[in-house]
Amino acid sequence: DSFDDLPTSIIVTNIHSEVFHSDELKAEMEKLFREFSEKVTFQWLKSFRRLRVNYDNAISAGNLEIIIKSYDKSNASIFSQCPNTTSSV
């Protein structure tokens, strides 16, 4: 597959600390990310104020990255993570 080397995970940084204490806010964020694919998992990293969004395919991850970079007006930032590696792209 030509997409095997592309990132399938997106890491959103600088998430406001209130989100980590509210199941409702987390659910709202997760709902937004599920718009790109229902096959998604979330890893909430409270200590780092980050959320890792893991998709089952690179197309969903890429679409999310484009949207976030296009509309992000806050201090949040993202980076992609390739499958089977620990380095960021």
Side-chain angles (χ1 to χ4, degrees), residues 58-86:
I59 294 172
S60 296
N63 287 337
L64 172 63
E65 185 173 7
I66 290 167
I67 295 298
I68 289 176
K69 285 183 177 180
S70 297
Y71 293 103
D72 183 30
K73 303 296 184 213
S74 66
N75 290 328
S77 59
I78 66 161
F79 60 92
S80 305
Q81 195 162 31
C82 293
N84 303 320
T85 67
T86 56

Side-chain angles (χ1 to χ4, degrees), residues 6-65:
L6 296 176
T8 57
S9 297
I10 299 293
I11 298 178
V12 183
T13 65
N14 298 328
I15 295 175
H16 196 283
S17 60
E18 286 183 28
V19 175
F20 294 97
H21 300 288
S22 170
D23 290 337
E24 184 178 322
L25 291 175
K26 284 187 203 178
E28 286 180 33
M29 285 188 70
E30 290 178 4
K31 182 180 176 184
L32 292 172
F33 295 125
R34 282 194 176 92
E35 290 183 22
F36 296 90
S37 174
E38 285 294 320
K39 295 180 180 180
V40 61
T41 60
F42 303 95
Q43 293 172 290
W44 291 92
L45 308 167
K46 181 180 176 180
S47 299
F48 300 102
R49 293 181 50 208
R50 293 180 177 188
L51 169 62
R52 180 176 169 159
V53 183
N54 307 296
Y55 287 103
D56 67 333
N57 65 78
I59 294 172
S60 296
N63 287 337
L64 172 63
E65 185 173 7

